[in-house]
Amino acid sequence: MVEHARKALIAGNWKMNLDHLQAIALVQKLAWTLKDRNFQSTTVEVAVFPPFTDLRSVQTLIAADKLDIGLGAQDLSRHDSGAHTGEVSGAFLSALACDYVLVGHSERRADHGETDEVCLAKVQAALRHKLTPVLCVGETAEDLEKVGAAAVPVSQLTTVLEGISADDEIVVAYEPVWAIGSGTPATAEQAEEVCSTLRDTIRNVHGDEAAERTRILYGGSVKSSNIAGLMRGANVDGALVGGASLDAEEFAAIAQFEKHVTVD
Ligand code: PGA
């Protein structure tokens, strides 16, 4: 077992799934399952990222039952308030006790044309409101073929790092676009190689302390059957889990990667 330098983060990105009633049911089941299995949160942190409309319900449940589950949103506005119809301010997420917010998920980059500059503005907005941004970076299959795995994620990360300071707390999620929802994850070696290069990028821009402190997650077809291998990489500090986070048993098993728990 690799000793991890940083506390692992297992983050569930629900995407546009589950209304607020279904959200409550899933979080309750997740909490029971983790408890049943004697899950210890000392080395692994678990967080869920439900749709906006579920956040209040999930926050209330986490607070009422004192659950050791972090909460994040899937996006935020780069603005703080005002005439931006349909947007959600980081201030509102902060008021709902969100810990995290995803920024620049590949689905938002593709569906909403979010550029690296937009992602930087959103990361800055998150930091202004004391949220930890989880910046998603990753190459498409075409990028992979043309320029290799690391070039695009490194450039996406560099644009953001250059606009924030070394003390700012962010989480980076390396998500190869070709691995998302495809059932074909990157190999553990591929994930480690790019995560290690991303850590070097942080070191180059913000120095050793930031590089050692910052958590870098892998995302893309993570399951209970492949998480232990992925987590063996010294530079992989956790996972951003999509589809598999919608199943409480499976997500709990992923959080227990140290025990090699798998669900068939
Ligand atoms: P997946 O999604 O686990 O369903 O591949 C990961 C993500 O998009 O964050």
Side-chain angles (χ1 to χ4, degrees), residues 13 15 105-107 175 179-183 219-222 240-244:
N13 171 16
K15 311 193 180 189
H105 188 280
S106 63
E107 287 151 19
E175 296 207 307
I180 295 176
S182 67
S221 297
V222 171
L240 183 55
V241 184

Side-chain angles (χ1 to χ4, degrees), residues 158-186:
T158 303
T159 303
V160 168
L161 291 176
E162 285 174 345
I164 62 174
S165 83
D167 296 336
D168 288 326
E169 191 72 40
I170 68 165
V171 172
V172 178
Y174 167 53
E175 296 207 307
V177 181
W178 50 267
I180 295 176
S182 67
T184 308

